[in-house]
Amino acid sequence: MTIDESFVLTEEQVRNYFTRLEIVYDKDKWKPSEENLTILQNIHIAMIPYENLSILMKETISLNGNDLYDKIIVNHRGGYCFEVNGLFTHLLKALGYQVTVYNCRFIYENQGVQIRRHRIMKVDFEQMSYITDVSFRNESPRYALRFVCDEVQSDGIAEYKFTQDEYYGYVMWQKLTGQSWKKVFGFEESPQSETDFFLPNYFCETHPQSPFVDEPHMSICPENEHITIAGRKFVSSKKNIIVETRTINSGEEFCHFCKAYFGIVIDKKTAETILSNSN
């Protein structure tokens, strides 16, 4: 597959993107600033879900800008990091931000070194760099983080910091309330092109060891909330405190959760197919 490296969102597409986020677009108001970047990330994770349904429905995932726009904006879907962070990159560039894209390794205790399979962005302006990420499954930064080492930052839900590491380059740490610091992912300052994500996306889409090929994984983050589906388990949390846990017992129930919490409409037969390998 050839990925169009020169893709740029049109003015009309930017307006429609803002409509999808349910905010009003004004070119002068949305010039690059820390405040605007913070607002965009916070609203984005509340309106556009992380989800892997395309993989389970055997839909080929395209990373081309127009295809991402059609899927996420026109067809009111979400996607996983290569898709949603990919489209967000195009939005930031259209708004005038200087964006550098990195490919990260997740860091899990006792699971060894992971392949690079998570896309994030560094945004530069006003002599400061920020790390932004709007597509994740677990609790992650609600706001863009200043890209400085050893400075503890809080988004009101959790604390974060970056440190340097001999192997990973940089590591992002997270501290949830009442828990110890843990490593989330590591990355090097090696700029990635859109084409660089073809292979990790192909692995995630097709490989039997991919965490995305067997059961649904969905996440959305309204203010102070984190709503997830993992397999047949639905969990709703508020400020890291679980307020509701339910088991999804049927395709009909899955359809309801998708529409009510993630804004995604699917039919019952498709839902049953998606759930077929879930425990």
Side-chain angles (χ1 to χ4, degrees):
M1 177 185 294
T2 301
I3 298 176
D4 182 5
E5 296 283 350
S6 63
F7 175 77
V8 178
L9 287 168
T10 65
E11 185 81 6
E12 180 181 4
Q13 287 175 323
V14 172
R15 290 186 181 278
N16 291 338
Y17 203 135
F18 272 69
T19 299
R20 173 78 167 88
L21 298 177
E22 298 187 1
I23 50 180
V24 177
Y25 174 65
D26 182 309
K27 188 172 184 178
D28 292 329
K29 176 183 177 181
W30 290 100
K31 291 180 178 179
S33 70
E34 180 178 11
E35 179 183 9
N36 284 343
L37 182 61
T38 292
I39 292 171
L40 282 174
Q41 177 161 331
N42 195 240
I43 292 177
H44 209 288
I45 63 174
M47 299 303 301
I48 296 180
Y50 174 101
E51 49 105 341
N52 68 325
L53 301 187
S54 287
I55 294 173
L56 301 176
M57 293 188 289
K58 307 303 181 183
E59 298 173 350
T60 299
I61 292 177
S62 169
L63 301 184
N64 275 306
N66 271 320
D67 294 329
L68 295 175
Y69 172 82
D70 287 343
K71 176 181 178 179
I72 297 170
I73 306 304
V74 177
N75 296 325
H76 217 270
R77 286 281 303 280
Y80 61 178
C81 69
F82 302 126
E83 302 171 278
V84 179
N85 277 339
L87 189 61
F88 190 53
T89 295
H90 294 307
L91 177 64
L92 293 177
K93 288 181 176 179
L95 295 174
Y97 291 91
Q98 180 182 339
V99 184
T100 305
V101 180
Y102 297 141
N103 197 4
C104 307
R105 300 181 195 271
F106 285 112
I107 303 175
Y108 302 116
E109 294 294 333
N110 303 319
Q111 290 191 28
V113 176
Q114 305 292 301
I115 68 167
R116 293 186 177 96
R117 60 173 180 84
H118 182 59
R119 174 178 178 143
I120 63 169
M121 295 77 71
K122 183 184 74 165
V123 179
D124 294 290
F125 61 91
E126 297 178 355
Q127 299 182 328
M128 178 58 72
S129 297
Y130 301 81
I131 297 296
T132 184
D133 180 358
V134 293
S135 185
F136 44 79
R137 181 170 59 182
N138 300 320
E139 181 63 43
S140 292
R142 306 291 179 117
Y143 309 134
L145 300 176
R146 293 183 297 278
F147 187 28
V148 292
C149 286
D150 303 314
E151 175 184 307
V152 176
Q153 304 176 60
S154 175
D155 65 358
I157 303 292
E159 293 181 320
Y160 297 91
K161 65 181 178 182
F162 295 102
T163 61
Q164 289 185 290
D165 182 87
E166 183 176 350
Y167 178 79
Y168 288 105
Y170 294 91
V171 172
M172 188 183 82
W173 298 69
Q174 179 191 65
K175 186 179 186 301
L176 299 171
T177 302
Q179 299 183 23
S180 301
W181 284 100
K182 69 175 183 179
K183 298 175 182 179
V184 180
F185 57 65
F187 61 96
E188 298 174 328
E189 289 190 280
S190 175
Q192 304 291 292
S193 67
E194 297 302 316
T195 305
D196 287 324
F197 291 100
F198 175 82
L199 286 179
N201 177 70
Y202 184 73
F203 168 85
C204 290
E205 185 180 5
T206 65
H207 198 279
Q209 293 182 6
S210 165
F212 302 105
V213 297
D214 291 327
E215 60 184 17
H217 293 285
M218 307 177 71
S219 171
I220 199 163
C221 300
E223 186 175 1
N224 293 325
E225 294 183 80
H226 188 202
I227 299 168
T228 65
I229 289 176
R232 292 178 178 267
K233 187 177 182 180
F234 169 88
V235 179
S236 175
S237 303
K238 190 164 187 177
K239 291 189 175 182
N240 285 327
I241 298 173
I242 295 176
V243 296
E244 183 181 10
T245 300
R246 294 179 62 179
T247 298
I248 301 172
N249 295 306
S250 67
E252 186 174 357
E253 286 186 355
F254 187 73
C255 290
H256 165 73
F257 283 113
C258 283
K259 183 177 181 180
Y261 294 96
F262 302 93
I264 297 174
V265 177
I266 58 174
D267 60 72
K268 182 180 177 181
K269 183 178 180 180
T270 299
E272 289 171 348
T273 300
I274 289 170
L275 290 177
S276 60
N277 292 324
S278 300
N279 295 322

